[in-house]
Structures are given as C-alpha cells and as structure tokens.
C-alpha cells in the first residue's frame, strides 16, 4: 500500500500529488463541493457544502441561545458586532437598520411572506401586523422554539436551512397560508452561504415559488466590489495585512453582476432593483452593503428618463422633482467615499414624499442613483450582465478541512504526515476573491509571455510578459481599420445615393445589384453608416450620403492601402491578410453581386487550411490562446483522471494547439469536433491519436448528435459562437455537456469591427432558406454578427452558465481589438 491509498479512499479527495520535497497536495473531489439543483425538491449538497452549513448552524445556535444582546423582543442583537472592534453594534443604529429593511419589504405590499433565516425575529415583529400570513425558517432550533412560543396570529416558524424551501416542513407551513407567498425574504443571511452555486439554488427555488408580480428581497448583501476597501479600512497602513484579511474573509460576498447571472437562470422574467443603504450612521452596514429586490414577472411600466447628476446644474434634486413621468438620476457621488458629496441618508430625506428611492450604481459601488418612483430603478438582468467577482468562502473552508482529513487518515493508517501538506480545489466555482483574481492574473501573464515570443511584432520582451506600455499602438491600429472600412462603404453607397438624392434601402440594394442572400449585409452597412453620421435618413426612411471631401487618406495623409498594411502589421496579421482586405474592399460590388466569392479571395491558392491558419497568430489570438492554454492546464491539475475536453468548431486547430500546449504531458481525453469533415480529417493528420474526432454542429442538439451528457470537464468554443443561429440555445446545448463544476471557455469578438463587416461577413451569408444569424437571440435579427460585452455574459447566464473570468482587462490596450476570452462554470 502506498501512502496515497488511504487518502484516495476518502470520498472528499479526488487526487494526491507530490508537492515540493516530500510534501503532498490533495485535491477536493468536485462532487463534495457541488450543489445539484433538483426541480421541486431541495438541492443535493456535496459533503463539504453541507458541513459548511452545519458549521454556521452551530455558531448561530450557540449565539442565539446565549441571550447576549437581547434589548427587547423586537430588538435582539445577539451576534451583531462591529468587524473591526468586536463591540456590539449600537442599538439605535440596529433599530434603524431593521426599520429600513421592513420599509423596503412593505413598499411592495406583500400579504403572504416567507422569510428564510429569520434569526431572532427583528423583521418578523415589524412585518407580521401588515401581513395575512408569515412563515419563517431558521437553522437555529433555539430561536425557532422561542418565536413559535410567542403565539403570534398567522405566524409559523420552522427549523430549516435556506435551501429547504421545497422540504416537507416548509411546504407544510406554506400550505397554511392558503396560497403561494408573494414575497420571499432573505435578509442578512446570504453571507452565511458557502458559494454562489448554493445562492443560485436558493434564489431559483424562491423565484419559482412566488406569485406573478411578487418579490424576492435579498437584503443586507455584502458587496464583493467593496471587500478590498473594507479590508483597507480595517487594516490601515498595511496593504499586505489588508489583502490577507480580504482573502481570509469567511463570508459570501457578491456583486450585482453575480446576482444578475443567478436571476437570468431562474426561468421566469425577473427585473432587479439595487437599493443603497440610507442609514444615518456611517458604519460598515451603511458603507459596504446593499439591498436587492427581484421582481418576478412584474407589470410593464413606461421607460424612465435618465439624467446624469453633473448634467442638471446646481440643485439637481430640485430639477429632478420638476420632471414629469418616471425618471432616474445617475452618477451621484457618495459622500461616504467622497467627502462633501450627498449621502444615501441625505438623498433619502430629499426624496421624502416623492415615492422615490436611493439606488446603488450597478457598476460602481461607491456611486448612487435616484429613481422616482422607486419602480423606475428596476433593471433587467441584461443591464447588469458581466463577469461577477464574488468572494466565496467554500474554497478556503474546504482546503482547511481537507488538510485536517488528510492528517487524520494518514494518522489512522500509521503513515508519516509530511510537513508540507496542502489542499487544492478544482478550478471553477467556490473560489475566494483573491484566488479568482490570482487565476485571472496568471492567465493574463501567460498570454503576455506568448506575446513576448512574437518577434519582431513586439521586440525586446522575449523574457518578460509584454506590458501595456509596449502595446499602446493597438488602439490606433484598430481605429485605422474602422476608418478605412467606413470610407470604402461610404463611397459605395454614395455611388448610388449621392448627397441630395435619397433612396430607399431597397432601391440602394437594387442599384448595387446585391444578391438576395447578401441583402442583410447591406442593411447592416446602412445602419452603421447612419449611426456614424456618414449617411442620413429623411423622415420617410430614405437614405443618401452626407457630402464629404474624403480623399481616401487618414489624418496623417497615408492612403488606405498603406494604412491597411501598417495596421495589419501592428496587429500581428501576416501580409496575406492585408492583401485579402485590400482586394475585398476594392471588389465590394462584385462580392455583393455574388460574381466572386469571398472564399476565393481569402483562399486564393485553394489551400483552405493554410489560408485559415494565416489569421491564427495575430496579437489577440496569440494572447487569448495562451491564456486559454494556461486555464486548461490549471483545470487538468485539479481534476482526477484524464481531463475530459470537448472542442467545438475546432477549424484550423489554432486553439487546439494552444490547449494541448498548456496540457503538456497531463493526461487528457480530448474530443476535437467541427461541422466539416474537412477540418476533422486535417486535425487528425496534424494531431494524430492524441485526440478523438467527431462531427458536431452547435446549431443542433449536441447530445442528440452523440456527445455525452455531463461528460466534459472543459468545453472550448473559440470564435464559433457568433456562427450560431441562436446563441442562447447553442449555449444551453453546450451546458448539457458539462459535468458539475465544469468550465466552458469562449473566445469571441464583443464589438462589430467595420473591416470585418465589409469583408469577412460575406462568408456568413446564409444559404437560400436558412435563417439569419442571431434571429432569435440578443442580436435580434439586427444583422449584427457579434454579441456585445454585456450580451454574451447575459446569454451565458441565461443558459445556466455563470461567467467567472474575462480577459483582457478593460483598461488594457489589448482590449481595443475587442477579442475577449470568457470562462463560465456550470454550478
């Protein structure tokens, strides 16, 4: 028997690896960290998730039974202490906190309410006189007995955890309400949750439960975007101690983007209101927390007029009050973070009697907003979509428990315990904010190291990651691409609709002789040119070009042919791509008329594979492929057995080579797929028996085509999702391939590049009778091929895939080509 066998026999441990000199690293089994959703039943919890909840149950059972902090029945503050000092929170401050929360709940006029985690009953006492029925739950048996003993009319409290909404005890209590609740309340309870997967399971059941028009109130949320700020406040003068405190925080923190991803996967139409804390005292409860309300199938209201704080001049609140109809005021600095600015409390006072509310800026937690009425501040999840950065305590808890378990098992087997014994959790969900940030930074570093090897594109950085300072030319090169394409399209349209001679879109397409299958491209061109102010529409919708003295040169006097060559070189494209772009722009009329195929220009020698490979090593692809390879390697290092990978739309194999390079010698079961046998055969010639090969089409059910449901740890979809006729439906099929905790890695452009629109787009024109791309998803038949930076995370979230990582950073020059990598996980 080796020293590994007693450890591997434990159900929580998936693998054991040597670490350092004589050390061991144990890796958690993903099943122990999983939360498996079960429609109509409580979710199935992994052992480490269940143990985390038991830990909190013991803490609160002891806290509540101690009786410390009980001022009066409706103000039992047991357990409420300031994080920095450990002293009890002031009673008057906590009374205001409870009153404000009750006001928030009652604002929506509920009659039947379910409160998950009711604690000592501070909100119960304030709410039940206004309700027809109340059901509360808590995991602490002491408070359940005490609250039931009060004999309050219409009130039932049961011992249950938050995830047991569909358990027998809660169902029986809810049956006494006579109807489904119209409000589910979770106040100051989510911080005790182990992970976002657990949060998602609870909120999904809550959203399923409430009646149409009802609410799910998620109150007193610790904002993940303010974790570092809070830690610096608690550890002034030491950035190192502040970072350590943030990483070691034992509670769940999340942000609006994470909440939006959870809400988007709930299966019912939901809007979200983010309420700022408006308490008068400046404490951690005021600064670092917010309240969220999920409105389930709300009635449609008129759109709100939106104004910015700095646009209304002096006295913006008075100016706002004079507005008619729903209105929102955004970009308000928060005096708690910017001295001299208004605070939530002062704004609340100014709104007295207006029906308005103080909201939180969804993208900047140090900014406020105002909505009149409060309902005007509700947003669809799409408006909040993005890559959330929650702080999940499950990972740190699991690592500590795994080390304890490993020591115990080795001791039982009478085997030596190594001095260096560490634990790891699989990449994906359950990570604290510091670990997630470190993983993103490591992937970014891998991409920048790959750029250093692009000689002579980025010369002089062969041994170090390429810094942003060496990439400042990228934004200008991208702008040059756009400007050249716009000039070419404007000249084309001006030739058939010159200034002063407006034509309908149909007349323009007829004059250009556009083939029917390319008409969608012309419509998109006209939309873009109108947006850019290069053509105008008259009241009847007719279009003509705007007069211009354009001479086909950029601001530096460089002609478009030379500008294309320079931009291609700066972005890492080979000479052949510059030739293709120049030729395609020169032959736009023939391409439109289908007299020449774009394929003939892109593959002039007929060698499809070689031609496609020309575009593999530009700056964006080099960076993103290397980052993706790093992430795949990280996934392999934390999975038991061979990493199971499915690549969709493998094409010429650029991403495949990067993934295999990242894997190195790590065992993998790698399935390369494409819609065309040409590419699978070419890949087999290139990669041999290291891979398996199959035909799969993302526009059809992947499992029905033979893919294994739940059989993949990683699914790679590199530059393929934009080819989906319905991106959301394709992502749902992709999600079905993932095992719990699995990752989907997507690379996509997140904005429309006008040079691509004018050239490469011809490759995507559908055959006769086929639907246009994006007709049913968030592209909405607009002719846009690429989803935006909000739409793609929204599609992922709605498909039940939570975005957890995005590269490059928005403030990096690498973001200017708008080619991004997204990683999402299946809970």
């Amino acid at each position: 028997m080796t020293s590994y066998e007693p450890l591997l026999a434990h159900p929580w441990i998936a693998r054991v690896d040597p670490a350092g000199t004589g050390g061991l690293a144990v890796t958690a089994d993903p099943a122990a960290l999983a939360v498996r959703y079960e429609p109509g039943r409580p979710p199935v919890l992994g052992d480490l998730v269940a143990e985390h909840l038991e830990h909190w149950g013991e803490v609160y059972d002891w806290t509540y039974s101690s009786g410390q902090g009980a001022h009066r029945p409706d103000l039992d503050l047991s357990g409420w202490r300031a994080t920095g000092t450990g002293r009890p929170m002031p009673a008057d401050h906590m009374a205001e906190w409870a009153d404000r929360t009750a006001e928030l709940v009652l604002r929506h006029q509920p009659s039947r309410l379910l409160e998950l985690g009711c604690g000592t009953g501070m909100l119960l006492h304030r709410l039940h006189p206004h309700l027809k029925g109340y059901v509360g739950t808590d995991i602490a048996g002491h408070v359940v007995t005490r609250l039931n003993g009060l004999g309050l009319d219409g009130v039932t409290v049961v011992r249950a955890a938050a995830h047991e909404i569909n358990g027998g005890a809660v169902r029986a209590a809810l049956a006494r309400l006579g109807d489904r609740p119209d409000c589910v309340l979770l106040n100051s309870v989510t911080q005790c949750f182990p992970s976002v997967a657990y949060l998602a399971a609870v909120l999904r059941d809550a959203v399923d439960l409430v009646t149409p028009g009802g609410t799910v109130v998620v109150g007193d949320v610790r904002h993940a975007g303010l974790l570092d700020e809070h830690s610096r406040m608690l550890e002034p003068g030491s950035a190192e101690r502040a970072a350590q405190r943030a990483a070691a925080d034992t509670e769940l923190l999340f942000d609006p983007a994470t909440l939006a991803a959870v809400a988007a996967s709930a299966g019912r139409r939901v809007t979200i209101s983010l309420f700022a804390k408006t308490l008068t005292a400046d404490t951690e409860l005021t600064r670092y927390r917010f309240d969220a309300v999920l409105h389930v199938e709300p009635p449609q209201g008129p759109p709100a007029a939106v104004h910015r704080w700095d646009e209304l001049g002096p006295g913006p609140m008075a100016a706002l009050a004079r507005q008619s109809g729903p209105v929102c005021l955004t970009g308000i600095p928060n005096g708690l973070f910017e001295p001299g600015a208004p605070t939530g409390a002062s704004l609340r006072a100014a709104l007295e009697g207006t029906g308005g509310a103080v909201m939180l800026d969804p993208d900047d937690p140090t900014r406020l907003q105002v909505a009149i009425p409060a309902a005007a501040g509700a947003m669809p999840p799409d408006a909040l979509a993005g890559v959330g950065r929650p702080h999940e305590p499950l990972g740190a808890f699991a690592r500590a428990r795994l080390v304890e378990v490993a020591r115990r098992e080795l001791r039982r087997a009478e085997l030596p315990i190594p001095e260096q014994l560490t634990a790891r959790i699989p990449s994906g969900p359950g990570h604290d904010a510091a670990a997630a940030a470190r993983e993103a930074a490591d992937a970014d570093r891998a991409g920048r190291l790959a750029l250093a090897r692009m000689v002579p594109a980025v010369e002089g950085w062969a041994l170090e990651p390429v810094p942003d300072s060496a990439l400042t030319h990228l934004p200008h090169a991208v702008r040059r691409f756009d400007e050249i394409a716009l000039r070419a399209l404007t000249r084309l349209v001006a030739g058939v609709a010159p200034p002063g001679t407006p034509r309908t879109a149909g007349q323009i397409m007829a004059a250009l002789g556009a083939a029917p299958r390319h008409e969608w491209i012309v419509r998109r061109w006209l939309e873009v040119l109108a947006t850019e102010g290069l053509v105008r529409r008259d009241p009847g919708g007719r279009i003509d070009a705007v007069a211009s003295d354009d001479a086909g040169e950029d601001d530096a006097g460089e002609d478009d042919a030379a500008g294309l060559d320079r931009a291609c070189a700066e972005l890492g494209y080979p000479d052949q791509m510059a030739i293709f772009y120049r030729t395609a722009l020169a032959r736009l009329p023939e391409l439109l008329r289908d007299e020449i195929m774009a394929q003939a220009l892109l593959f002039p020698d007929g060698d499809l594979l070689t031609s496609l490979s020309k575009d593999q090593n530009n700056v964006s692809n080099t960076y993103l492929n290397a980052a993706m390879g790093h992430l795949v390697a990280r996934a392999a290092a934390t999975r038991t057995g061979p990493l199971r990978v499915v690549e969709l739309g493998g094409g010429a194999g650029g991403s495949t080579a990067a993934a295999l390079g990242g894997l190195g010698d790590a065992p993998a079961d790698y399935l390369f797929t494409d819609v065309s046998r040409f590419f699978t055969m070419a890949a087999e010639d290139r990669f041999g028996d290291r891979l398996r090969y199959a035909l799969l089409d993302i526009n059809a059910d992947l499992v029905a085509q033979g893919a294994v449901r739940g059989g993949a740890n990683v699914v790679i979809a590199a530059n393929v999702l934009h080819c989906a006729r319905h991106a959301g439906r394709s992502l749902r099929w992709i999600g079905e391939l993932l095992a719990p905790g699995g990752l989907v890695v997507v690379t996509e452009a997140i904005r429309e590049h006008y040079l691509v629109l004018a050239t490469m787009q011809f490759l995507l024109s559908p055959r006769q009778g086929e639907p246009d791309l994006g007709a049913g998803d968030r592209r909405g038949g607009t002719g846009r091929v690429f989803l935006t930076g909000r739409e793609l995370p929204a599609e992922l979230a709605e498909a039940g895939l939570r975005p957890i990582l995005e590269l490059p950073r928005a403030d990096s020059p690498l973001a200017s080509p708008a080619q991004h990598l997204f990683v999402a996980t299946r809970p």
Side-chain angles (χ1 to χ4, degrees):
M1 174 181 285
T2 70
S3 59
Y4 293 5
E5 289 178 5
L7 300 180
L8 291 171
H10 195 281
W12 297 357
I13 298 175
R15 61 184 288 171
V16 181
D17 296 289
T21 305
L24 289 178
V26 295
T27 300
D29 190 310
L33 304 168
V35 179
R36 194 169 74 247
Y37 179 71
E38 297 259 333
R41 301 175 61 186
V44 177
L45 307 183
D47 289 345
L48 285 166
V49 178
E51 189 158 312
H52 184 277
L53 293 174
E54 289 170 9
H55 161 75
W56 278 108
E58 292 168 0
V59 168
Y60 277 102
D61 221 1
W62 179 87
T63 299
Y64 295 148
S65 63
S66 70
Q68 297 177 7
H71 293 259
R72 56 181 192 263
D74 68 343
L75 196 66
D76 186 338
L77 303 181
S78 300
W80 284 97
R81 295 179 178 274
T83 306
T85 64
R87 292 195 292 268
M89 285 287 190
D92 57 346
H93 180 56
M94 292 305 303
E96 183 188 14
W97 172 89
D99 290 343
R100 293 285 177 267
T101 305
E103 289 172 12
L104 174 66
V105 175
L106 295 174
R107 179 192 293 272
H108 302 96
Q109 300 180 324
S111 61
R112 300 171 304 280
L113 185 142
L114 168 64
E115 183 177 7
L116 304 175
C118 63
T120 58
M122 279 195 284
L123 295 180
L124 162 60
H125 284 284
R126 288 164 172 79
L127 294 173
H128 89 87
H130 306 276
L131 301 169
K132 292 180 180 178
Y134 170 99
V135 173
T137 75
D138 205 90
I139 53 177
H142 177 80
V143 295
V144 170
T145 301
R146 189 172 75 192
L147 293 175
N148 278 325
L150 297 175
L152 298 175
D153 187 38
V155 170
T156 305
V157 183
V158 299
R159 185 172 189 179
H163 68 278
E164 294 176 313
I165 291 177
N166 286 317
V170 178
R171 281 186 169 185
L174 289 174
R176 301 187 196 111
L177 295 178
D179 198 357
R180 291 158 57 192
D182 49 15
C183 179
V184 176
L185 170 62
L186 303 88
N187 190 66
S188 203
V189 66
T190 58
Q191 53 261 46
C192 302
F193 289 1
S195 64
V196 174
Y198 183 87
L199 171 73
V202 172
L203 291 186
R204 184 167 181 173
D205 280 342
V207 168
D208 282 346
L209 180 64
V210 298
T211 57
T215 58
V216 177
V217 180
V218 188
D220 212 39
V221 176
R222 293 188 63 193
H223 199 304
L226 293 171
L227 175 59
D228 291 339
E229 170 79 21
H230 190 190
S231 299
R232 286 192 294 269
M233 185 272 288
L234 295 172
E235 298 287 353
S238 174
E240 183 179 354
R241 284 200 306 272
Q244 290 171 349
R245 176 183 280 272
D249 198 298
T250 58
E251 296 185 344
L252 174 68
L253 292 80
F254 56 91
D255 50 20
T258 300
L259 182 63
V262 169
S265 65
R268 296 176 76 181
R269 184 172 62 86
V270 172
T271 61
I272 304 172
S273 295
L274 304 172
F275 291 91
K277 289 294 190 181
T278 58
L279 306 175
T280 51
D282 179 7
T283 72
E284 62 189 275
L285 301 185
T286 315
R287 277 183 175 238
Y288 304 118
R289 303 193 183 203
F290 69 99
D291 300 317
V293 176
L294 308 185
H295 309 271
V296 181
E297 297 178 5
Q300 298 284 2
V306 179
H307 302 279
R308 283 196 59 80
W309 174 261
D310 52 11
E311 292 173 351
L312 295 183
M317 291 300 290
L320 193 70
R322 293 191 293 269
Q323 301 282 326
S324 60
V327 62
C328 289
L329 185 61
T330 65
I332 306 174
N334 186 341
L336 298 180
F337 301 98
E338 298 183 37
T343 63
S346 67
L347 290 172
R348 181 180 184 277
L351 289 169
E352 191 72 34
T354 67
V358 184
M359 320 299 288
L360 187 75
D361 187 301
D363 296 316
D364 184 349
T366 67
R367 296 255 158 176
L368 302 173
Q369 299 184 352
V370 164
I372 304 177
M379 296 169 284
D382 282 22
L384 308 175
V387 176
R389 291 176 172 80
H391 174 85
E392 302 178 87
L394 180 60
F397 176 83
R399 286 193 295 270
R401 287 292 290 121
L402 283 176
V403 169
E404 293 172 2
V405 165
R407 290 182 184 279
R408 184 190 66 199
E409 295 305 309
L410 290 172
R411 192 178 299 112
R412 284 178 175 175
E414 299 182 345
L415 293 169
I417 300 173
E419 184 175 337
Q420 184 184 1
L421 183 58
T422 58
R424 298 184 295 196
I425 63 171
S427 56
H431 285 267
D432 59 81
R438 186 166 55 249
E439 188 154 306
D442 289 347
D444 176 73
R445 176 182 171 83
R448 291 171 182 271
L449 281 170
L451 287 179
R453 296 189 285 272
M454 286 185 68
V455 179
V458 183
E459 196 170 357
W461 299 99
L463 301 178
E464 295 292 334
V466 175
D468 282 347
S469 59
L471 301 169
T472 54
H473 61 285
L474 296 180
H476 182 67
V478 172
R479 284 196 302 273
R480 189 183 293 122
F481 265 4
D482 283 344
E483 291 162 0
I484 290 168
L486 289 172
R487 282 195 285 270
L489 295 179
T490 302
R491 287 193 294 268
L492 187 71
V493 173
V496 295
T501 314
R503 301 280 189 267
T504 66
Q507 289 170 334
I508 290 172
M509 287 188 283
L512 291 171
R517 72 189 193 98
H518 295 321
E519 288 180 355
W520 70 285
I521 295 179
V522 179
R523 285 193 292 269
R524 188 62 197 159
W525 289 351
L526 295 176
E527 191 66 35
V528 165
L529 292 174
T531 300
E532 295 287 346
L534 298 171
V535 302
R536 60 191 160 214
R537 296 182 191 270
D538 67 16
R542 296 182 304 168
I543 298 164
D544 67 333
V546 174
S548 171
D549 58 358
D550 169 49
E553 294 181 349
D554 63 18
D555 292 338
E558 187 174 51
D559 67 37
D560 285 351
L564 261 177
D565 289 346
R566 182 198 290 261
C568 281
E570 289 175 339
L571 292 167
Y573 291 101
D575 294 341
Q576 296 95 321
M577 285 304 298
I579 293 169
F580 164 74
Y581 286 134
R582 284 201 312 271
T583 307
L585 290 178
R587 304 188 70 173
L588 281 179
E590 297 159 272
L591 286 167
L592 271 177
R593 295 192 295 264
D594 254 354
E595 294 172 356
I596 186 170
M597 305 292 284
Q599 289 88 336
L601 301 182
L602 187 58
F603 319 128
D605 54 5
D607 187 346
L608 181 63
L609 197 64
T610 301
S611 297
L612 283 175
S613 299
K614 295 171 186 174
D615 192 27
Q616 293 291 324
N617 298 317
N618 60 60
V619 169
S620 287
N621 281 347
T622 297
Y623 168 79
L624 295 177
N625 277 338
M628 182 265 293
H630 169 84
L631 293 168
V632 171
R634 162 72 179 147
T638 56
R639 294 301 197 280
T640 180
L643 186 73
R644 294 167 293 162
V645 181
V646 174
E647 183 176 2
L648 300 168
S655 296
T656 316
L660 293 176
L663 285 169
D665 295 331
D669 176 12
Y670 197 120
L671 177 63
F672 177 101
T673 77
D674 198 275
V675 71
S676 167
R677 193 173 299 280
F678 171 84
F679 289 114
T680 60
M681 292 174 64
E684 191 166 4
D685 287 342
R686 179 178 180 183
F687 301 113
D689 59 7
R690 186 171 184 187
L691 312 183
R692 295 186 295 115
Y693 306 90
L695 296 178
L696 287 178
D697 181 359
I698 63 167
N699 284 311
D701 187 320
L702 297 168
V703 173
Q705 296 175 67
V708 178
R709 187 187 304 275
N713 304 123
V714 177
V715 174
I716 298 171
N719 294 305
V720 67
L721 194 60
H722 64 267
C723 298
R725 289 192 285 271
H726 190 303
R729 186 168 56 213
S730 293
L731 284 169
R732 285 191 287 276
W733 287 327
I734 289 171
E736 290 178 356
L737 305 188
L738 289 172
L743 305 175
V744 56
V745 182
V746 174
T747 57
E748 278 292 336
I750 59 168
R751 84 163 178 87
E752 197 166 44
H753 287 285
Y754 297 152
L755 187 60
V756 172
L757 176 63
T759 57
M760 303 284 284
Q761 215 100 313
F762 286 99
L763 298 170
L764 298 177
S765 283
R767 297 187 182 93
Q768 188 68 31
E770 289 184 349
D772 290 340
L773 296 176
D777 59 32
R778 283 169 171 78
R779 292 170 287 181
T782 61
R784 284 190 297 112
V785 167
F786 300 105
L787 294 153
T788 68
R790 283 218 191 264
E791 289 172 339
L792 183 50
E795 292 283 5
L796 285 162
E798 196 169 276
L801 302 165
R802 181 168 65 87
I804 59 173
L805 185 147
E806 179 183 3
L807 289 174
R809 301 188 319 270
D811 60 353
S812 169
L814 283 164
S816 56
Q819 191 79 7
H820 281 227
L821 179 145
F822 292 88
V823 179
T825 182
R826 179 188 173 192

